[in-house]
Amino acid sequence: MNEHDSEKVAGVLLARGYRQVEFAEQANVVLYNTCSIREKAAQKVFSRLGEYRLTQRDGQTIGVLGCVAQQEGQKIFTRAPWVSLVCGSASYRKLPELLAQLEAGNRRVTGLDTDTDETFETEVTRRDNPWRAYLTIIEGCDKACSYCVVPFTRGPERSRTSASILEEVRQLAGVGYTEVQLLGQTVNSYADPSAKKMRFSELLVAVAELPGIRRVRFTTSHPRDFGKDIVEAIEAVPAICEHVHLPVQSGSTKVLRGMARTYTREEYLEKIAMLRASKREISLTTDLIVGFPGETEKDFEETLSLLDVAQYDGAFCFKYSPRPNTPSLKMEDAIPEEEKSRRLAMLLEKQREIQRARNEKLVGRELEVMVEGKSKKEFQWSGHTSGNKVMNFTSRAQESLGDYVQVKVVAATPNSLVGEKRQWRVTSGE
Ligand code: 5AD
Ligand code: SF4
């Protein structure tokens, strides 16, 4: 989502006549997009800003965007007086105006409101990924997970109208994109603000049925709003990819309650059972946090056992990181850092083995892959399956990037599949 925000911001600049340069030192304007989801990401910001200062040219504008901008606000000007713009993501629609103020000679400008009901739409979006076009359908977050900065930094949920989303996808198809990924912190909480009142699952189908669209992905889904209608949409329309990212965060109902995730372990497992019962084989990935305040050894074991039941195809695992302005900051029973590291290592190890076994089960199967890359090694190509698995494959044909090909899986590792494209031998007609 952050990467896509950068693409939209680059579009705002291009629309104002700016052009992109290769290195920050060459630029008249540097806009630095930041993340504060965990402390490590946020820590980097001031050291990077220090580096920008060393190479700052006369008249070069340096701006800070994103969640650290929102979180630190005006304080950034005090800690880094060489910065002249601070703008959080909920105020990006004001960026053209803020840039105009800077061009007019204003020294310091800010966009820090989050009490907005607007979304950030641009005339131009400079897309970096030639194969997969990202587009935001819902911004902000109305959930209130106790560890998370997003509701504070990105503001309340705002959905775009279905008409504007469909129009953007039509344009993307028009310029040759066949795969789109719908984005939102809680993408399946999408609520069409127009009279059409399209449900998320209806929007998925409508996007997937637009001419030229071969693959539709969506992320991130919140378990609370994940209903059977989404599984039915995936079953009914092949262009909707067979992959769901459904963060669980913990396998312990007690910890989930502390996190304010609004579901129990059992309720989450019911969603998984619904996905696994689907006619299509849907890949499932998740996010997990270890070392949340008060997480006992028993709670952690429940997370480990949930992995056995859920059989995820991938998991992003994090150590709990206390964040400013979040309710869990004040919670007691902090877990020592070494213990968090121990739990994280155990979790990663277990998940690795699950992934290895799951991927090995695919050996012998033929899967559709979009050709996205050519390796330096001859005849080696790579791409993603509909289930979002990375496939490295051999093909003696001169593949065209962006094409879809059928590839037979011949080997597997925990994080990727190894395949061979079947060779079509042209035989003389007999
Ligand atoms: N500490 C650790 N991980 C976090 N995440 C969000 N906030 C925190 C935090 N304070 C993780 C969650 C979320 C993912 C994007 O980042 O797992 O799903
Ligand atoms: Fe953060 Fe929870 Fe919203 Fe996800 S659903 S962005 S974890 S508050």
Side-chain angles (χ1 to χ4, degrees), residues 45-103:
V45 171
F46 284 95
S47 58
R48 178 67 66 85
L49 284 176
E51 290 166 24
Y52 287 152
R53 183 196 191 177
L54 293 178
T55 56
Q56 188 174 24
R57 300 186 318 174
D58 261 359
Q60 186 188 56
T61 297
I62 297 177
V64 183
L65 306 177
C67 290
V68 175
Q70 190 64 51
Q71 195 175 288
E72 300 296 314
Q74 307 264 2
K75 279 187 270 171
I76 293 182
F77 294 137
T78 318
R79 266 186 84 178
W82 54 96
V83 169
S84 45
L85 175 148
V86 173
C87 182
S89 66
S91 302
Y92 286 167
R93 72 194 183 289
K94 271 175 59 185
L95 265 178
E97 186 188 317
L98 296 178
L99 285 165
Q101 288 173 14
L102 285 174
E103 287 157 8

Side-chain angles (χ1 to χ4, degrees), residues 37-38 147-148 247 249 287-289 318-321 323:
I37 194 89
R38 284 169 294 277
Y147 51 81
C148 184
Q249 314 296 2
D287 291 346
L288 290 151
I289 298 176
F318 309 104
K319 290 192 265 185
Y320 168 70
S321 166
R323 306 305 299 127

Side-chain angles (χ1 to χ4, degrees), residues 21 42 58 89 100 116 146 153 174 232 271 273 292 324 364 375 379 398 406:
V21 290
D58 261 359
S89 66
T116 175
S146 62
T153 56
E232 284 164 358
K271 307 268 171 180
F292 186 77
S375 156
F379 309 126
Q398 198 47 50
Q406 289 294 122

Side-chain angles (χ1 to χ4, degrees), residues 223 246 248 251 256 263-276 284 302 305-312:
L246 200 65
V248 64
L256 288 170
Y263 52 82
T264 63
R265 172 190 173 101
E266 288 68 33
E267 282 161 348
Y268 181 89
L269 286 175
E270 279 168 24
K271 307 268 171 180
I272 302 263
M274 183 174 82
L275 279 157
R276 292 286 182 229
L284 191 64
E302 287 194 59
S305 78
L306 183 114
L307 292 192
D308 282 326
V309 184
Q311 292 286 307
Y312 293 112

